[in-house]
Amino acid sequence: MKRERAASATASLGAWVSELDVTGVPAAVLDRLALVLLDVVGVTALGASLPEQRALADAWTAPPGPAPLIGGGRLVTTDAAAWLNGVALVSLELDEGHKYAKGHPAAHGFPAVLALAAELDSTGADTAAALLAAYEVAARFGRATTLRPGAHPHGSWGVPGAAAGCARLLGLPPGAAAAAIDTAAGMGIAGHFDSATQGNPVRNAWLGASATSGLAVARMAVAGMARTTGTAALSLGTVLGEFEPEELTADLGTRWDITRGYFKRHASCSFTHPAADAVLDLRAHPAFRIDGITHVLVETHVLGAGLSDVDWSNRLSAMFSTPFVVATAALTGEVGPDSPLDDPDVQALASRVRLVEAADLTTRLPAERAARVTVAFDDGTSLTREVPNPIGDADHHPLTESDLIGVLGKWLPGPVVDRAAALGRDLPGLPRVGAALRELAGTDEKELS
């Protein structure tokens, strides 16, 4: 039965998490972890600067505690930091993701691990191992899960990653770590993708829920209240979609999914990025003329074919609108956190963008998330550009540390970015991480403005 197979695979995964030691991790993997941590910290700080995120933090009225609101200027309780940082991290659609996991492994687990590590004042080595555990377990659950059509990946298959990272930080033995992971598989949220396209911020809250659920089930395991029963086969594999347990342990210890992810340079859904990249390439062509565009055809794969709305109501819905992203890229050369939503020129051009699925691009999934863009002009000419993956994908123009610093530095003060980069580089060797993590809250008004 699939439930027994899920229980067996989860037990093996729990043993791997419990015994994970960064001294045995390849240097290239730790280098990638440093980049992911730089991205997570920087993007969270950027999200924390949004007026609505500041208002949310104020409304939370969390008492003082040991964990930072990254970029938020306060230290609060562990659970409040995990929830609020999780929401901030995904609020601008700039967080790292993974095409094979079909979502965002780091966003599901890193906020919980960082908050708990600050509370425990864990060693850098343990924190690095916990972050790796969170990423790898979440990515494997993402690979194993095929959600039902219409389901959004936030807050579902990634919760076991948050549990795994917290279990590793707490030093749980194999059986207890597995029980935490198994229990977390029953804590997923059934979120609909249309919540994102319609601009409902509940979509961001699903990541806050993932973080606090990971903390909760790890504590349940400490108390002996968690069991390994193959829960994922029921929740992920029956209620929310389909589940293949063998994916949890495939190439375990030799394949590091953290090295296969992507970083973002556009503040928008990853499905829109190849189209934005193609438009930016065309924009540099001598024959490209903004005032002569009659229409734009965007061909994409089945996963991105639904992002066709031209009536965005807020930033979240705009970030899930390929017409908005394409028009903004064509007119301004950038899709950023501060790209205007009510520019009449953007709205006019977006109305002339048509998004369709191309069967040949769908067949190239999951290795490629391609797009083909054709811009037609009033003189009867046209320009076409096809890209196989967004820039920043591990398989297509991957971003280096200097690239990431450059992207984040466009929108964040230098000291914030430098602090995030230093933490990523230094983490495995830090004797204790509490002080370094609490510095991420920021206290300089210039950094937080």
Side-chain angles (χ1 to χ4, degrees), residues 152-172:
H152 196 286
H154 276 13
S156 57
W157 52 253
V159 183
C166 293
R168 176 61 182 81
L169 268 187
L170 291 168
L172 297 186

Side-chain angles (χ1 to χ4, degrees), residues 240-449:
L240 294 178
E242 299 177 0
F243 187 77
E244 292 300 327
E246 288 71 26
E247 287 288 349
L248 298 185
T249 54
D251 301 316
L252 186 60
T254 58
R255 185 192 75 214
W256 294 90
D257 273 320
I258 197 170
T259 65
R260 305 295 304 278
Y262 58 80
F263 295 113
K264 292 183 168 187
R265 60 179 192 148
H266 310 304
S268 61
C269 173
S270 65
F271 296 155
T272 72
H273 283 218
D277 291 341
V279 168
L280 291 176
D281 281 352
L282 293 177
R283 195 172 185 264
H285 194 283
F288 186 88
R289 296 178 294 112
I290 286 291
D291 58 357
I293 296 175
T294 57
H295 65 273
V296 180
L297 173 64
V298 178
E299 299 172 88
T300 187
H301 49 78
V302 64
L303 299 178
L307 306 186
S308 58
D309 286 351
V310 296
D311 297 318
W312 54 88
S313 59
N314 59 5
R315 183 158 301 279
L316 178 58
S317 57
M319 293 188 298
F320 281 82
S321 164
T322 296
F324 168 81
V325 171
V326 165
T328 298
L331 288 166
T332 71
E334 177 180 87
V335 184
D338 50 1
S339 293
L341 304 181
D342 55 358
D343 186 326
D345 292 333
V346 169
Q347 293 170 334
L349 181 55
S351 70
R352 301 196 297 275
V353 175
R354 186 164 70 97
L355 179 67
V356 300
E357 179 194 350
D360 64 313
L361 302 186
T362 293
T363 61
R364 287 151 63 177
L365 292 169
E368 293 187 8
R369 287 183 170 181
R372 187 164 48 240
V373 176
T374 300
V375 180
F377 300 96
D378 54 10
D379 61 359
T381 62
S382 64
L383 296 171
T384 299
R385 178 76 169 97
E386 180 180 311
V387 296
N389 275 302
I391 290 175
D393 188 280
D395 298 326
H396 185 67
H397 301 294
L399 301 187
T400 64
E401 181 186 86
S402 62
D403 293 330
L404 271 179
I405 289 174
V407 170
L408 294 170
K410 290 188 295 185
W411 306 307
L412 282 171
V416 174
V417 181
D418 292 343
R419 191 177 294 151
L423 177 65
R425 289 191 300 264
D426 299 341
L427 180 65
L430 292 177
R432 296 289 169 183
V433 300
L437 291 177
R438 283 186 278 276
E439 287 181 357
L440 299 178
T443 55
D444 188 334
E445 287 297 324
K446 293 181 180 179
E447 292 184 6
L448 303 177
S449 62

